[in-house]
Amino acid sequence: MESKQVTISGAGLVGSLLSIYLAQKGHRIRIFERRLDPRKTLIDGGRSINLALSDRGWKALEGVGLEGEIRKMAIPMYRRVMHAVDGSLSFQPYGKEGQAIYSVSRAGLNAKLMDLAEKTGKVNIIFDQRCLDVDLHAAEAVFENQSSGERNYVKADLLFGADGAFSMVRGAMQKTDRFNYSQHYIEHAYKELTIPPGEDGKHLIEKEALHIWPRGNYMLIALPNLDGSFTCTLFFPHEGKPSFESIDTTEKARDFFSKVFPDALALMPDFDVDWEQNPISSLVIIRCFPWTSNNKVALIGDASHAIVPFYGQGMNCGFEDCTVLNQLMEKYGDDWYTIFGEFEKERKPNADAIADLAMRNFIEMRDLTGDEDFLFRKKIEGWFSAKHPDKWLPLYSMVTFSHIPYSEALAEGVRQDRIMDEIMKMPDINTNWQSVAVEEKILSLL
Ligand SMILES: Cc1cc2nc3c(=O)[nH]c(=O)nc-3n(C[C@H](O)[C@H](O)[C@H](O)COP(=O)(O)OP(=O)(O)OC[C@H]3O[C@@H](n4cnc5c(N)ncnc54)[C@H](O)[C@@H]3O)c2cc1C
């Protein structure tokens, strides 16, 4: 295989992983990253920010031999724990026994990927270099050193835009003919808060779980960290009542939390500081096409498909991009025309599907996980699926614990919803849900 000189804009999760896959194929890579080296600089004031890693992400890490090392710093979350206003708890397993999604530190994972990339000897990461523009015909990018203002003109055989939701590489593509692009801000934003460790570094609520405080139009969630703390995220409307706009002082926020999330507030001694210091961040969905240009430039990860975080799939989807690109490199060798063409053809419908699924899951998490009918439907689905695992894999499992393309999972989920609508209309379903009649009805509708 011919060794190519490759430029990657962005050393985030996807850009760093991509560089390792490219290095394994013998290419030489330079990554230009806007930030300073996060391994040497404290980012986010040292706050722990975590992500849920699931099967698609694990597979991509396995492909570069990093799975074992990341497992050591990952906390399994076997179930959702729902917190009602009165403090009572209910539970919903994520999958079959032993199946879990994993909480990992974003900064820790990024640092490991950067280390491994550099260890290949074929990847050079250059920090404090912001991409300003790209010549798409020449695969030449301009990077600026933020401190000195010095500009770097970098030409390569191939250029990847892994520079996130506000990608400058995509910005250059947006100026070309017949480039489709949409950017949609949802009405909710988020703010991070912390539940610190208890005495002896113990977790103060169930460690191996994802906690949700579903409250209809908004919710609070918490994921565990290795140091005994939880990173909590409040997903809340920008405007309306209640909203970030209406709750505009720390006193109001504390009062609101004491009424709506009292058990969580009781575990947040630093609530006031967190509320004041941590930003309100917007959530955006970005769709675009094509993802490649002139057989030389390609977008990957959030640069081509930024989604809302409610399925915990944004990074997993970006990592799956790397798995698919690797499979195509193996299949087509140096034929980058075919690799790029197949890559965008295969990934685009799946990125669109996970964008839709993620919005669906927001409604499920914030509203339905506190709804008895919904939990009852899930119970029937789980029962039927255990009896007929070859005929019914719940949607959550298809997305999280399988490698079924997202677009197929979405289509199957819609079909399952229609079937369950019929089942819920059956007389005496509340008492007879584990009956032969229900089983046969589902089988007949499949
Ligand atoms: C609140 C929240 C929670 C989330 N939770 C999950 C989760 O649980 N599970 C999950 O799978 N996903 C989750 N995600 C999504 C996940 O964070 C993203 O999908 C993932 O980070 C995308 O990786 P990326 O490398 O494509 O982009 P990014 O992580 O955004 O990395 C882009 C990199 O490019 C750099 N950069 C940007 N612009 C330039 C430029 N002009 N020049 C040079 N460098 C540049 C940035 O500094 C950054 O290092 C969550 C997202 C949010 C917002």
Side-chain angles (χ1 to χ4, degrees):
M1 193 182 291
E2 192 195 331
S3 167
K4 299 270 188 203
Q5 181 65 56
V6 183
T7 298
I8 300 178
S9 176
L13 296 165
V14 175
S16 302
L17 179 64
L18 170 68
S19 75
I20 305 169
Y21 273 110
L22 290 166
Q24 284 181 347
K25 294 280 175 293
H27 302 301
R28 292 153 289 132
I29 303 105
R30 276 179 297 187
I31 316 185
F32 294 84
E33 165 56 47
R34 182 184 59 183
R35 295 172 300 165
L36 298 174
D37 189 340
R39 295 166 297 181
K40 296 181 186 150
T41 333
L42 200 62
I43 46 167
D44 289 315
R47 280 190 294 143
S48 302
I49 299 187
N50 46 32
L51 292 150
L53 180 62
S54 50
D55 285 28
R56 293 169 204 265
W58 284 120
K59 182 176 176 183
L61 292 173
E62 230 173 81
V64 296
L66 204 56
E67 192 238 355
E69 220 174 310
I70 303 302
R71 287 243 181 234
K72 287 185 212 145
M73 52 183 251
I75 301 176
M77 298 181 287
Y78 293 103
R79 58 183 186 171
R80 285 172 171 164
V81 175
M82 277 80 69
H83 297 243
V85 180
D86 66 8
S88 59
L89 304 178
S90 51
F91 309 93
Q92 199 191 347
Y94 271 124
K96 289 185 288 196
E97 209 180 326
Q99 278 183 325
I101 56 175
Y102 289 78
S103 177
V104 291
S105 146
R106 177 190 283 273
L109 178 57
N110 209 153
K112 287 266 184 242
L113 287 168
M114 286 176 178
D115 286 346
L116 188 64
E118 286 172 342
K119 242 192 246 170
T120 62
K122 292 187 183 302
V123 181
N124 187 9
I125 311 177
I126 306 137
F127 293 93
D128 196 0
Q129 294 284 323
R130 190 164 88 91
C131 179
L132 297 180
D133 202 3
V134 174
D135 177 339
L136 297 168
H137 293 281
E140 183 178 51
V142 191
F143 296 96
E144 186 178 66
N145 181 298
Q146 306 270 283
S147 334
S148 66
E150 197 181 305
R151 290 192 177 178
N152 221 339
Y153 291 78
V154 183
K155 211 169 161 176
D157 301 316
L158 298 171
L159 187 152
F160 286 90
D163 44 358
F166 301 99
S167 167
M168 288 306 286
V169 180
R170 189 188 65 234
M173 287 164 80
Q174 279 169 235
K175 292 178 209 146
T176 61
D177 189 32
R178 291 195 299 140
F179 185 82
N180 292 308
Y181 171 69
S182 78
Q183 167 180 309
H184 172 70
Y185 282 95
I186 65 165
E187 63 177 282
H188 289 72
Y190 69 94
K191 186 188 271 288
E192 277 148 353
L193 302 161
T194 310
I195 295 179
E199 276 177 32
D200 311 326
K202 289 223 170 69
H203 290 85
L204 290 175
I205 46 178
E206 182 175 321
K207 176 185 171 188
E208 294 184 336
L210 190 150
H211 295 262
I212 311 181
W213 289 257
R215 296 293 183 266
N217 185 34
Y218 56 90
M219 68 177 177
L220 179 73
I221 66 167
L223 273 73
N225 297 310
L226 282 178
D227 65 0
S229 67
F230 283 83
T231 305
C232 306
T233 312
L234 172 68
F235 294 100
F236 208 46
H238 277 285
E239 282 130 24
K241 273 196 177 155
S243 68
F244 282 117
E245 187 187 56
S246 73
I247 297 188
D248 55 357
T249 64
T250 310
E251 290 69 36
K252 284 188 200 168
R254 176 171 273 286
D255 182 54
F256 179 72
F257 265 64
S258 70
K259 291 185 180 117
V260 179
F261 306 117
D263 57 339
L265 181 65
L267 303 173
M268 295 176 172
D270 301 326
F271 178 83
D272 291 8
V273 177
D274 278 354
W275 188 267
E276 279 159 29
Q277 289 187 353
N278 298 344
I280 296 168
S281 305
S282 298
L283 290 164
V284 68
I285 303 168
I286 286 174
R287 299 175 197 253
C288 66
F289 201 77
W291 291 0
T292 67
S293 177
N294 302 306
N295 310 318
K296 283 185 178 167
V297 181
L299 303 174
I300 193 160
D302 274 19
S304 44
H305 49 74
I307 62 174
V308 288
F310 307 112
Y311 230 119
Q313 285 295 316
M315 166 192 62
N316 286 288
C317 177
F319 279 8
E320 193 174 59
D321 287 350
C322 296
T323 305
V324 169
L325 192 76
N326 187 52
Q327 286 162 352
L328 293 170
M329 287 192 286
E330 268 160 18
K331 193 163 171 196
Y332 297 112
D334 291 327
D335 179 2
W336 285 93
Y337 171 82
T338 306
I339 293 172
F340 278 0
E342 293 285 308
F343 176 68
E344 59 185 7
K345 198 169 95 192
E346 178 170 345
R347 293 306 288 161
K348 170 66 176 161
N350 291 316
D352 283 343
I354 192 60
D356 293 343
L357 282 161
M359 270 317 284
R360 259 178 73 134
N361 213 44
F362 185 26
I363 296 162
E364 178 171 324
M365 284 174 87
R366 74 185 195 207
D367 207 355
L368 302 178
T369 50
D371 180 294
E372 273 179 26
D373 278 353
F374 171 80
L375 294 175
F376 182 50
R377 275 171 85 116
K378 291 284 152 199
K379 205 151 89 175
I380 302 175
E381 273 189 50
W383 163 77
F384 183 80
S385 168
K387 284 197 130 186
H388 299 281
D390 53 325
K391 293 199 164 60
W392 188 292
L393 189 57
L395 176 59
Y396 190 87
S397 297
M398 284 191 273
V399 171
T400 309
F401 303 124
S402 91
H403 303 284
I404 297 168
Y406 290 125
S407 54
E408 286 174 28
L410 174 58
E412 184 60 14
V414 169
R415 193 169 82 105
Q416 289 176 349
D417 275 353
R418 285 204 200 106
I419 293 174
M420 285 310 295
D421 288 345
E422 291 305 311
I423 297 301
M424 296 306 282
K425 285 184 207 152
M426 287 176 76
D428 303 329
I429 184 69
N430 287 318
T431 45
N432 280 349
W433 63 276
Q434 281 177 308
S435 64
V436 175
V438 171
E439 185 179 351
E440 281 177 356
K441 175 97 177 175
I442 299 179
L443 284 169
S444 75
L445 292 169
L446 271 168

